Amino acid sequence: MLEIMEKGIVYICHHIDTEGPLWEIIEELFNRLDLIFGIKLEPTYENLKLLQEGKIEVPDEIKESLALTVDPHTVGFKRNWGMIEEMLYRIMSKDFRNQMLDSFGGGWVYNWHIMDHVGFGNVNPRHRDYGYHNVLDFYKYMIKVTGSDMDAIHWHFHPIPFRKEANIPATSYDNSMPVILDIITHRLLDRDMFPVVNRAGFHTERIDANFFLEQWMPFDPSCQSVDADHQPTGQRDLVDGRYGDWRNAPSDWSLYHPDFYDWRKPGNMHRWLARILNMKSRHRNITVEEIEKAFVKAENGENVYLGITDHDWREMSVEVDDFREKLQVVIERHPNVKFKFSETVDAFRHVIGYTKDEIEKNKLSLKATMKENILHVEVQNGELFGPQPYLAIKTKCGEYFHDNFDFQEAGKSFSYVFDAYTIPVDQLECVKVAGNDKYGNQCIVDVELK
């Protein structure tokens, strides 16, 4: 008797770099075209239309990516919160979500990776919404009023450039460390939230990001590896892997642990990296062939994480519909493969192979107590992801701080002294301790201050 191989499931995770409104004047658009492609044209709507219609001669090597860059959809930014709100009411509705159901009867799911525009200077030509929690609170509200409990809120961060311009991409976590810790600390103390899933800003990780993420976040859907013949060409801002450098990383939809010195190589670090391709962008786009690659992998018996990504400041319905059309083609070719629209933590757990009993039995539990002026933290159940819990402090005069713990028993118990060398106890307004485990369970503890 022939043994029938059990097929895997393709978990489809839609990740949105959630940044709020984006406004771009025509001069700024043509500045970008010069920077990216070396095209110098008078910044007029007439020239933009000519580019969109392909009536201006450009080198063959940039024709395709230029067409994507100036496509009316690509430059059709959501310029204010009203435009984003109108879009969200449409795409978060049951009618839109359920236009295609997965193999389990479920509709579309969004993973909102929310950014705070903090740490930048006064140069803000794209009218980003500056401030702690501005984007976060809007999306919490939209999830509530649309009944979108199937969606999840996760983490997104843009490193700060040298001159602190809000419209300039950067890659350095080292240069941005005070800002990133400040945002995490505010989010933990003010909104009782701590990041468990990272989405790399500008699709980019470097060695400093590799080290930082390894301390706190077990899941990292940021890898944008593509086959050699699909690497971006003719785009000056992406030369030699400048942004989104995932060259030689796994491109077969497999998860992997990164190497200590090279985030692109499988190694012995602890967080999981997943592959995630763009939707109607100017590079590294999802295709029918890439979707089919995931389905073939599932046909051979593996659960597969298929990640796709876009931004909330474009018309997302166009991008979701475009993906669903591609997906339908693959479904018809592989009718026996099941797929599921999924929240990212749930997808990671299934693809890695964690069982429900394992996740619940080993769920992280922390105990935090103050004894006079010393904070003691103990791991009561499970294991921390990373070397220590996260400590967040707010003073009575409104200052926010993060600091390291003193290690008592590595991985098990920690302490922190409040005194004249740090902050005296009588100046404390609020202290919280947070941690994740490798399963994506999370524990946040409010420290009782006497």
Side-chain angles (χ1 to χ4, degrees):
M1 180 180 295
L2 291 174
E3 183 178 349
I4 299 176
M5 179 184 296
E6 183 176 351
K7 292 179 172 58
I9 298 170
V10 177
Y11 291 87
I12 299 173
C13 297
H14 182 189
H15 300 269
I16 305 97
D17 292 355
T18 310
E19 303 169 8
L22 183 72
W23 185 79
E24 184 177 67
I25 60 176
I26 192 72
E27 288 83 2
E28 188 71 16
L29 170 59
F30 276 82
N31 285 339
R32 283 200 296 116
L33 296 180
D34 183 16
L35 179 67
I36 297 169
F37 301 106
I39 294 175
K40 298 181 184 296
L41 291 171
E42 185 181 357
T44 65
Y45 287 100
E46 181 181 358
N47 279 337
L48 175 58
K49 185 178 180 181
L50 292 172
L51 284 171
Q52 291 170 336
E53 294 173 348
K55 293 180 179 178
I56 294 178
E57 285 296 319
V58 297
D60 288 343
E61 67 170 355
I62 69 171
K63 278 185 178 179
E64 183 178 354
S65 53
L66 174 63
L68 289 169
T69 303
V70 299
D71 186 280
H73 167 72
T74 308
V75 298
F77 301 116
K78 302 295 182 183
R79 300 185 301 275
N80 55 58
W81 279 118
M83 296 176 74
I84 289 183
E85 183 179 23
E86 186 277 330
M87 175 183 68
L88 294 181
Y89 272 115
R90 283 187 286 107
I91 69 170
M92 296 172 82
S93 69
K94 288 184 179 179
D95 287 344
F96 184 81
R97 291 180 189 269
N98 294 342
Q99 286 179 17
M100 172 184 279
L101 299 178
D102 63 26
S103 305
F104 305 89
W108 198 263
V109 175
Y110 301 99
N111 294 277
W112 304 102
H113 291 264
I114 292 181
M115 175 182 174
D116 282 354
H117 298 286
V118 173
F120 300 98
N122 296 323
V123 180
N124 185 21
R126 296 188 183 178
H127 297 195
R128 301 281 199 174
D129 191 343
Y130 280 3
Y132 300 103
H133 318 312
N134 291 359
V135 182
L136 173 65
D137 288 347
F138 179 82
Y139 275 87
K140 288 177 67 177
Y141 168 78
M142 290 303 302
I143 288 172
K144 179 180 178 181
V145 298
T146 59
S148 298
D149 296 338
M150 68 291 290
D151 293 348
I153 289 175
H154 293 297
W155 173 257
H156 186 57
F157 175 72
H158 283 192
I160 311 300
F162 291 133
R163 295 181 178 86
K164 303 186 186 304
E165 305 101 323
N167 61 314
I168 300 298
T171 64
S172 175
Y173 274 50
D174 283 345
N175 292 342
S176 309
M177 197 56 65
V179 176
I180 192 170
L181 294 173
D182 189 43
I183 294 171
I184 292 174
T185 300
H186 273 78
R187 195 170 291 191
L188 176 56
L189 290 169
D190 298 344
R191 298 296 184 269
D192 215 36
M193 300 176 73
F194 186 66
V196 65
V197 183
N198 174 65
R199 252 294 298 150
F202 311 112
H203 317 294
T204 301
E205 292 183 13
R206 291 289 187 269
I207 193 66
D208 51 351
N210 195 37
F211 294 159
F212 176 81
L213 295 168
E214 191 70 10
Q215 297 182 73
W216 313 112
M217 305 180 207
F219 304 130
D220 189 3
S222 298
C223 174
Q224 288 221 314
S225 57
V226 291
D227 297 333
D229 55 350
H230 290 112
Q231 291 289 349
T233 58
Q235 302 180 48
R236 297 179 178 184
D237 59 332
L238 305 180
V239 65
D240 291 335
R242 186 183 183 199
Y243 296 118
D245 185 8
W246 298 95
R247 290 170 296 180
N248 301 317
S251 60
D252 63 348
W253 295 113
S254 61
L255 303 182
Y256 72 99
H257 296 296
D259 178 75
F260 189 79
Y261 286 124
D262 189 346
W263 62 97
R264 302 166 299 183
K265 290 169 47 179
N268 58 3
M269 297 183 91
H270 295 142
R271 78 182 186 282
W272 287 98
L273 273 156
R275 186 173 185 241
I276 178 169
L277 296 179
N278 296 327
M279 303 165 72
K280 291 183 75 67
S281 178
R282 63 182 167 99
H283 53 71
R284 307 186 191 102
N285 284 315
I286 190 71
T287 62
V288 169
E289 292 73 24
E290 286 291 357
I291 299 171
E292 187 163 33
K293 190 189 296 185
F295 272 64
V296 169
K297 196 177 183 73
E299 211 158 34
N300 291 328
E302 297 183 53
N303 287 338
V304 183
Y305 192 109
L306 192 163
I308 49 176
T309 184
D310 58 0
H311 289 82
D312 64 335
W313 32 256
R314 288 199 183 102
E315 180 51 57
M316 290 173 54
S317 64
V318 173
E319 295 163 346
V320 174
D321 285 341
D322 179 75
F323 176 82
R324 288 193 287 209
E325 288 178 10
K326 292 180 171 66
L327 177 61
Q328 185 61 44
V329 173
V330 178
I331 291 169
E332 293 171 4
R333 294 176 181 173
H334 303 270
N336 296 321
V337 174
K338 293 182 179 180
F339 67 97
K340 182 176 177 59
F341 300 127
S342 184
E343 187 274 328
T344 178
V345 172
D346 189 59
F348 269 105
R349 287 170 171 174
H350 281 95
V351 176
I352 294 167
Y354 298 142
T355 66
K356 288 184 178 180
D357 288 344
E358 181 185 4
I359 294 167
E360 189 59 34
K361 179 181 178 181
N362 297 295
K363 186 175 183 178
L364 179 68
S365 176
L366 301 173
K367 180 181 180 181
T369 55
M370 286 287 291
K371 295 180 180 179
E372 296 183 353
N373 67 320
I374 302 176
L375 171 62
H376 295 270
V377 178
E378 296 179 0
V379 177
Q380 293 193 307
N381 190 67
E383 295 182 3
L384 280 166
F385 177 84
Q388 64 178 336
Y390 191 95
L391 174 62
I393 304 163
K394 183 180 180 181
T395 68
K396 291 179 178 178
C397 60
E399 299 167 302
Y400 288 73
F401 296 105
H402 160 73
D403 206 351
N404 293 313
F405 281 98
D406 295 319
F407 283 38
Q408 301 309 313
E409 182 181 355
K412 294 293 185 181
S413 61
F414 310 85
S415 64
Y416 189 83
V417 180
F418 292 98
D419 60 13
Y421 293 120
T422 55
I423 301 169
V425 173
D426 61 2
Q427 295 180 18
L428 297 175
E429 172 70 25
C430 179
V431 176
K432 292 190 180 184
V433 175
N436 300 315
D437 62 24
K438 71 177 184 178
Y439 306 104
N441 296 314
Q442 189 169 88
C443 183
I444 297 175
V445 181
D446 287 284
V447 178
E448 183 178 350
L449 302 175
K450 297 182 180 180

